[in-house]
Amino acid sequence: FTVSENAAKLVDVGTAFDRIAGRVTDAKAALIEIERAAGGVVDRMTLMQEATRAAVAGLDVTKFDELVTVTRGLASVMGRDMIESLRRMTEGIAKQETELLDEFGLVVHLKDALAEYGRANDRNVESLSAAERQQIFFNAVLEAGQRKVAAMGGVIDQAQSPFLKFRSAIGDLTTEFGGFLNRVLDID
């Protein structure tokens, strides 16, 4: 039943992603970009879960593919699991937990990012909403991550990529098969 349950979970996750991402962009196009950024090493359900979690936390879902690229670049050189890295990176940004970001060599201080934004946009930092502060932090992390990945020569295609892609493909295929079973058994 795990296969069928995962397929049902994918439907729920997909519905949530479509609703949340669909408010600001074409959800299907966003998912395609997120999957492209993942390079096939993360299954669709995990990508939608993390993008939805980021959006619920107030992050711009249209930039989530950039976060996936940064995370993939940093995880690859550190020998870290991409899925766990994406979860930790998303959580670090959503909760503004700099300790989690430090694990990836990213040092971003909210106070500095806010001050820089205020100067660049002639805004009083005190007048910024919580959502604006969250987005400013997200953008600062993206910029720091993009600089770090670029300094390392870009995203490295890991020797383990074929295995990660296989794991991801099997996960997606298993979920699709569960969906097929649910339709045949009329469980939907």
Side-chain angles (χ1 to χ4, degrees):
F1 289 106
T2 301
V3 172
S4 291
E5 286 177 280
N6 282 343
K9 184 177 182 180
L10 178 64
V11 170
D12 292 343
V13 168
T15 300
F17 176 79
D18 288 348
R19 285 183 184 167
I20 291 171
R23 291 181 182 158
V24 295
T25 190
D26 176 353
K28 289 186 189 330
L31 183 58
I32 289 168
E33 287 304 309
I34 292 167
E35 288 179 317
R36 180 200 50 75
V41 300
V42 181
D43 63 278
R44 178 175 288 146
M45 185 167 5
T46 299
L47 291 171
M48 285 191 294
Q49 284 173 320
E50 291 307 307
T52 300
R53 190 163 73 124
V56 166
L59 306 181
D60 183 355
V61 72
T62 65
K63 291 186 172 190
F64 194 74
D65 61 318
E66 295 176 45
L67 179 64
V68 172
T69 299
V70 165
T71 304
R72 188 169 147 226
L74 296 174
S76 67
V77 299
M78 297 176 148
R80 295 183 64 153
D81 179 73
M82 173 58 186
I83 293 172
E84 181 61 23
S85 294
L86 183 59
R87 287 183 176 136
R88 293 183 72 73
M89 185 74 82
T90 303
E91 184 174 335
I93 296 168
K95 294 182 177 180
Q96 297 178 5
E97 290 186 10
T98 56
E99 302 82 24
L100 291 177
L101 302 174
D102 285 344
E103 294 176 8
F104 299 96
L106 300 178
V107 179
V108 177
H109 300 286
L110 178 60
K111 189 175 184 178
D112 296 340
L114 292 173
E116 183 178 321
Y117 179 87
R119 279 191 303 278
N121 295 283
D122 197 28
R123 293 274 312 267
N124 178 347
V125 175
E126 301 303 320
S127 71
L128 296 172
S129 70
E132 288 173 312
R133 290 170 180 266
Q134 183 75 301
Q135 193 57 47
I136 291 165
F137 186 70
F138 181 37
N139 290 340
V141 171
L142 279 179
E143 290 171 15
Q146 289 164 340
R147 281 192 306 272
K148 185 161 289 277
V149 171
M152 297 181 310
V155 175
I156 296 169
D157 192 25
Q158 299 172 285
Q160 64 178 330
S161 285
F163 302 103
L164 297 174
K165 288 176 182 179
F166 182 70
R167 178 180 70 182
S168 174
I170 291 296
D172 286 338
L173 183 62
T174 302
T175 303
E176 289 296 323
F177 179 69
F180 169 76
L181 281 178
N182 289 350
R183 288 186 299 280
V184 168
L185 298 174
D186 198 26
I187 296 176
D188 289 12

